[in-house]
Amino acid sequence: MPSTSATARAGRATAYAVAVAAVATAATLYVDRGSFALARLASDEFAIHSDLDTFRRSARALLDGTDPYATGARDPNLNPPLFVVLCVPLALLAPLEAYRLTVLLGAVLLAGSLAAVAVACRLEPRLAVPATVALLVSSPVLGTLGLGQVYPVLTAGLVAAWLAARATRPVAEGVALGLVVALKPSLAPVLLVPALQGRLPGTAAGALTAVVATGAGALVTGPAALATWAASLLRRPAQTYADNASLPATLARLTTDSGSGSPVAVVPGGFAAGVVLGLLAVSVALWRAHRDGDGGGTGLWAVAAAALLLSPVSWHNYLTLLMPGVLVLLARRDTALAAPLLALPLIGMEWPGLWSGSGVPASAVPASLYCAILVLYAVALLPRRT
């Protein structure tokens, strides 16, 4: 049998080879097809920034006294009432002004979040600068900014909680996590991280904050809007688009004729199997999270990644939430592990277009690249055994 050192060398070589292949793929796609994400980011056509259009319509409806979840927007607003309330300032601006402000604030929040983690970890500039640049120009970040999504706010909230845990401030940690969950309920498993790491007040503060913030948002928007939001969530069909990286969506894509590549086999139960695997991923991440006793490691990011795997909808752009964890790996000199995590997100949304209608057998497998990337993040961010 090969020695442990030989196995480790082979693993590092494989990781670097994946990183090189990812960069080459991203460059080839850009030269051949350009970048839709970059084009959208620079566009003055407000409708193309569809998520922000939806959010702004909801906020405008709230100001006008109508249902913020029944606005006639192209895409339904599936975010909770608290998010609608926070978007009210955007409704006071002209559409393009709101978009440009959102991009500016999002870029500042993401860059600031990454910088804060790098400083806290004392990551050397020779590693911090290129890693941060790679993350900021990645497909998920460009997509997040171009669509006007909430992920920069959620990323900042997770970083704030992580920094509070390092500073042994469990209540502040819990408040930050509670606000994140109030804005994105699918991340609820992160509320358990403080308790598993011996900071029960953090989990209590987080649960209380999530409930109070959610209730406050519902109080402002009104019971009718709350009912409309809940109904929208319940009747939302399974999203099998290639950029939905969750396990339930991916297993459904691989086992049904979804239009996002040809399936491996048409069999029932793919979505349910994905839910079971997602629950297993969350269980493993929570079990391993307690190894970060001081909360300063990657446990929080591992649980967040597992929660995204479990959620029925986890768009590729959600990967933005996990990127600060890559800097923690770099600070621990896990450069081989971090390299593919930095390189793979550079592959843009042009990738799934290679496989849709390609006629390649089981083309849903390569079209599901973004789920594979999310799985890799979830595994790489698991705290080490002690």
Side-chain angles (χ1 to χ4, degrees), residues 277-376:
L277 290 175
L279 288 171
L280 179 61
V282 170
S283 299
V284 171
L286 289 171
W287 173 58
R288 294 285 289 273
H290 79 278
R291 300 177 188 278
D292 283 340
D294 61 355
T298 58
L300 175 62
W301 315 112
V303 173
L308 295 180
L309 285 172
L310 171 62
S311 175
V313 177
S314 289
W315 302 121
H316 178 46
N317 295 348
Y318 279 40
L319 203 66
T320 301
L321 306 179
L322 310 178
M323 289 179 174
V326 181
L327 300 185
V328 180
L329 292 178
L330 280 175
R332 293 184 170 182
R333 295 295 186 270
D334 286 329
T335 52
L337 196 57
L341 303 186
L342 291 168
L344 284 166
L346 296 172
I347 300 175
M349 284 304 302
E350 290 71 30
W351 173 266
L354 297 176
W355 309 102
S356 180
S358 65
V360 175
S363 60
V365 174
S368 299
L369 171 68
Y370 297 138
C371 178
I373 295 174
L374 182 54
V375 169
L376 180 61

Side-chain angles (χ1 to χ4, degrees), residues 61-357:
L62 179 61
L63 290 176
D64 293 340
T66 59
D67 192 334
Y69 292 102
T71 64
R74 189 189 75 180
D75 299 316
N77 189 351
L78 301 180
N79 291 288
L82 177 64
F83 182 70
V84 175
V85 175
L86 294 181
C87 287
V88 165
L90 298 177
L92 303 176
L93 301 173
L96 284 178
E97 289 176 347
Y99 169 66
R100 291 164 185 156
L101 178 61
T102 300
V103 170
L104 179 61
L105 292 177
V108 169
L109 282 174
L110 289 175
S113 296
L114 293 171
V117 171
V119 170
C121 291
R122 297 182 180 178
L123 182 60
E124 299 173 22
R126 66 183 181 85
L127 294 175
V129 172
T132 299
V133 170
L135 294 173
L136 290 177
V137 302
S138 67
S139 174
V141 169
L142 294 179
T144 288
L145 296 177
L147 285 169
Q149 293 171 321
V150 67
Y151 312 141
V153 175
L154 300 180
T155 303
L158 290 175
V159 168
W162 182 81
L163 291 171
R166 286 175 63 93
T168 320
R169 299 174 58 193
V171 174
E173 175 190 12
V175 170
L177 291 177
L179 290 174
V180 166
V181 171
L183 291 172
K184 186 61 67 174
S186 59
L187 291 172
V190 301
L191 292 175
L192 297 175
V193 172
L196 291 171
Q197 296 176 350
R199 301 182 301 279
L200 187 58
T203 292
L208 179 61
T209 300
V211 170
V212 171
T214 300
L219 185 64
V220 173
T221 57
L226 186 63
T228 307
W229 172 61
S232 298
L233 289 176
L234 291 174
R235 67 169 176 261
R236 186 73 168 170
Q239 302 294 298
T240 54
Y241 302 120
D243 52 329
N244 187 353
S246 78
L247 284 172
T250 300
L251 268 292
R253 186 185 312 120
L254 295 175
T255 57
T256 60
D257 189 8
S258 66
S260 294
S262 57
V264 175
V266 178
V267 294
F271 187 89
V275 171
V276 172
L277 290 175
L279 288 171
L280 179 61
V282 170
S283 299
V284 171
L286 289 171
W287 173 58
R288 294 285 289 273
H290 79 278
R291 300 177 188 278
D292 283 340
D294 61 355
T298 58
L300 175 62
W301 315 112
V303 173
L308 295 180
L309 285 172
L310 171 62
S311 175
V313 177
S314 289
W315 302 121
H316 178 46
N317 295 348
Y318 279 40
L319 203 66
T320 301
L321 306 179
L322 310 178
M323 289 179 174
V326 181
L327 300 185
V328 180
L329 292 178
L330 280 175
R332 293 184 170 182
R333 295 295 186 270
D334 286 329
T335 52
L337 196 57
L341 303 186
L342 291 168
L344 284 166
L346 296 172
I347 300 175
M349 284 304 302
E350 290 71 30
W351 173 266
L354 297 176
W355 309 102
S356 180

